[in-house]
């Protein structure tokens, strides 16, 4: 009994080996064996008898390639067109009533009003200093004119002293004294000019102090930088704000951006300005155009960021929603086939089995372009091809079949 069981096990293993690993050879052998058909009384086998006894029955579908847009598909999310945290630039307490988050604001609307404190007095003091500095200008200009007059007088005296000295009617001492007076008068001009420049510099310094004081007062009013929505409450009444403290967060949702990442194998198919559509996680369909494509890949994922701008006038699209994005690319011809028609050959290649000349089966590798509810779009096939959709798992390349054709709607 043990010997019989052992022999049965060996036979089962051999049968499984041929069925799994030598399926093509087994089917080919079976096809050749079935080709020896008995002849009729006339000595020749009829065509009907040959087909019915040697060919394998399959169901095929005649497919013709159609033009499709081979869109680039990617996952992404919505992102606000603008988002800014409005921060305080000075230290003071809030004296305005807060605005609640979700409120609409226009550019220039008041967000936070701070207590001015002694800043108006500092501005008044700076303005007074500017007026005082300006009042010194006429005095400095008068000194400069006086210095020029003294130079003119000294020049006349020096000329007279030199003539008298040269003619012998004046002493050398007088000439030297006149030259010294001339040098003193010239030094007076330089001193008066320096005084005038110092006065003008004082005016500029006073003007800078006025501008600084005015700027400090302007910082007390914190306004919305653009039209949008408040994403957070503004600072509460009475709270102390310091430089860098948050007054409010403002976001702009119209238009809104769709942000995704394109793999490096597809990035050359995406162009700025291309049309795009997306389906939000809520089921809503939106359309827009590509407005940005990164020139630098992410170091971790090796993908390129792409932005699509979409109108959002009713503000129903929110920031951070998941979206499936389709970016239009150059069209291509492809076949729409049922997913069940796809199969694998012995090398693991994905493809379909087709009916060729003489109803002989052939295997054609394909590439899936898009998966839809109606079937899969594939390329790699001829313009017109007969694809086996039922029975493709029971035939191999080189086997003769008896195809029955059906319509696409079936």
């Amino acid at each position: 009994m043990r010997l019989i069981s052992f022999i049965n096990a060996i036979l089962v293993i051999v049968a499984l080996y041929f069925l799994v690993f030598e399926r093509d050879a087994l089917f080919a052998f079976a096809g050749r064996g079935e080709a020896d058909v008995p002849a009729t009384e006339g000595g020749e086998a009829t065509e009907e008898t040959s087909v019915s006894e040697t060919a394998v029955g399959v169901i095929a579908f005649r497919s013709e390639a159609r033009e499709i847009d081979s869109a680039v598909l990617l996952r992404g999310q919505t992102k606000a067109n603008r988002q800014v945290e409005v921060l305080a630039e000075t230290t003071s307490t809030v004296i305005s009533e807060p605005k609640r988050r979700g409120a609409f604001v226009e550019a220039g609307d008041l967000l936070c009003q701070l207590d001015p404190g002694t800043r108006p007095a500092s501005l008044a003091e700076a303005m007074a200093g500017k007026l005082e500095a300006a009042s010194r200008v006429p005095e400095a200009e008068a000194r400069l004119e006086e210095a020029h007059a003294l130079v003119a007088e000294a020049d006349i005296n020096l000329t007279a002293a030199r003539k008298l000295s040269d003619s012998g009617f004046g002493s050398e001492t007088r000439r030297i004294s006149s030259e010294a007076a001339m040098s003193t008068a010239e030094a007076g001009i330089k001193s008066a000019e320096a005084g005038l420049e110092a006065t003008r510099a004082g005016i500029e310094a006073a003007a800078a102090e006025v501008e600084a004081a005015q700027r400090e007062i302007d910082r007390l009013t914190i306004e919305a930088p653009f039209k949008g929505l408040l994403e957070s409450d503004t600072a509460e009444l009475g709270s102390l704000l310091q430089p860098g403290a948050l007054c409010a967060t403002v976001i702009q949702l119209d238009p809104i951006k769709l942000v995704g990442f394109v793999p490096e194998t597809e990035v050359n198919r995406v162009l700025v300005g291309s049309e795009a559509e997306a389906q939000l996680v809520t089921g809503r369909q939106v359309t827009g155009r590509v407005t940005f494509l990164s020139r630098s890949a992410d170091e971790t994922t090796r993908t390129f960021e792409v932005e699509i701008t979409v109108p959002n006038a009713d503000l129903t699209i929110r920031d951070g929603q998941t979206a499936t994005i389709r970016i239009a690319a150059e069209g291509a011809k492809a076949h729409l086939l049922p997913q069940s028609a796809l199969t694998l050959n012995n090398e693991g290649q994905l493809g379909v089995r087709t009916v060729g000349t003489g109803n002989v089966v052939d295997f054609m590798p394909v590439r899936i372009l898009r998966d839809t509810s109606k079937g899969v779009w594939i390329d790699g096939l001829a313009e017109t091809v007969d694809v086996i959709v039922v029975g493709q798992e029971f035939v191999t390349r080189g086997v003769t079949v008896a195809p029955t054709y059906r319509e696409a709607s079936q």
Side-chain angles (χ1 to χ4, degrees):
M1 290 296 292
R2 294 182 178 176
L3 181 59
I4 295 175
S5 301
F6 182 71
I7 293 173
N8 289 336
I10 292 176
L11 293 175
V12 171
I13 291 174
V14 171
L16 289 176
Y17 172 80
F18 278 100
L19 286 174
V20 175
F21 297 100
E22 300 294 338
R23 185 180 65 172
D24 291 349
L26 188 61
F27 284 164
F29 176 78
R32 288 195 297 270
E34 293 173 358
D36 300 331
V37 186
T40 60
E41 295 181 356
E44 295 180 357
T46 62
E47 183 179 354
E48 294 181 357
T49 304
S50 176
V51 172
S52 62
E53 293 186 2
T54 64
V56 180
V58 295
I59 298 178
F61 161 62
R62 178 158 295 173
S63 175
E64 294 184 358
R66 288 180 280 175
E67 188 81 19
I68 65 167
D69 59 329
S70 53
V72 178
L73 303 179
L74 58 147
R75 299 277 291 180
Q77 65 177 11
T78 59
K79 185 178 180 181
N81 188 46
R82 291 181 179 177
Q83 179 169 341
V84 64
E85 293 181 344
V86 185
L87 307 178
E89 298 180 78
T90 187
T91 301
S92 189
T93 56
V94 179
I95 59 175
S96 59
E97 291 292 333
K99 297 180 182 292
R100 299 307 175 188
R101 57 184 177 180
F104 292 90
V105 293
E106 297 286 343
D109 283 358
L110 177 66
L111 298 179
C112 297
Q113 183 65 49
L114 305 182
D115 183 14
T118 60
R119 292 175 179 83
S122 299
L123 177 60
E125 181 180 359
M127 294 180 68
K130 181 180 179 181
L131 291 175
E132 180 182 0
S135 65
R136 295 173 183 170
V137 173
E139 181 181 356
E141 291 176 345
R143 288 178 182 175
L144 180 60
E145 291 178 0
E146 181 182 359
H148 279 290
L150 292 176
V151 167
E153 181 182 357
D155 184 57
I156 294 173
N157 293 333
L158 177 59
T159 301
R162 284 176 178 174
K163 289 181 178 181
L164 291 174
S165 177
D166 292 341
S167 60
F169 293 102
S171 64
E172 186 69 16
T173 304
R174 182 178 178 183
R175 184 182 65 80
I176 294 174
S177 177
S178 298
E179 291 177 351
M182 182 64 178
S183 299
T184 302
E186 291 176 348
I189 289 179
K190 294 181 179 179
S191 177
E193 289 177 347
L196 181 59
E197 291 297 326
T199 302
R200 290 173 177 172
I203 294 176
E204 292 181 1
E209 291 181 2
V210 171
E211 185 176 353
Q214 184 62 54
R215 178 62 177 169
E216 187 67 15
I217 290 179
D218 293 340
R219 289 172 177 169
L220 299 174
T221 303
I222 304 177
E223 300 175 344
F226 51 80
K227 179 181 179 181
L229 294 170
L230 289 180
E231 187 66 10
S232 66
D233 294 341
T234 61
E236 188 59 59
L237 176 65
S239 59
L240 176 64
L241 296 186
Q242 296 180 347
L246 179 65
C247 168
T249 300
V250 184
I251 63 174
Q252 186 182 72
L253 298 179
D254 182 29
I256 198 167
K257 293 185 292 186
L258 299 176
V259 180
F261 293 87
V262 183
E264 55 185 342
T265 56
E266 302 281 349
V267 67
N268 288 337
R269 300 177 58 208
V270 178
L271 300 175
V272 174
S274 298
E275 293 185 359
E277 61 181 24
Q279 182 174 1
L280 305 181
V281 69
T282 58
R284 178 177 176 181
Q285 297 280 349
V286 296
T287 58
R289 288 190 177 274
V290 177
T291 54
F292 171 76
L293 178 61
S294 175
R295 293 285 181 177
S296 176
D298 184 90
E299 294 183 358
T300 304
T301 62
R302 309 308 302 171
T303 56
F304 294 82
E305 183 178 3
V306 60
E307 290 183 358
I308 300 161
T309 302
V310 175
N312 187 29
D314 55 0
L315 304 181
T316 54
I317 305 177
R318 303 175 184 274
D319 181 25
Q321 288 184 290
T322 304
T324 302
I325 305 171
R326 295 177 69 252
I327 302 175
E330 185 178 355
K333 283 193 173 183
H335 293 263
L336 179 62
L337 300 177
Q339 193 170 21
S340 59
L342 301 177
T343 185
L344 299 174
N345 63 4
N346 290 339
E347 287 73 32
Q349 283 184 303
L350 179 67
V352 294
R353 289 191 170 91
T354 62
V355 180
T357 305
N359 292 339
V360 177
V361 176
D362 193 8
F363 178 84
M364 304 294 294
V366 298
R367 182 172 66 97
I368 297 178
L369 297 179
R370 191 184 308 164
D371 189 358
T372 67
S373 59
K374 296 181 180 180
V376 289
W377 288 94
I378 61 174
D379 68 350
L381 300 177
E383 187 79 15
T384 303
V385 64
D386 296 338
V387 181
I388 301 175
V389 294
V390 177
Q392 71 273 19
E393 299 294 345
F394 303 103
V395 294
T396 59
R397 174 180 287 177
V399 174
T400 302
V401 294
T404 300
Y405 291 90
R406 73 177 189 184
E407 298 295 332
S409 59
Q410 298 177 345

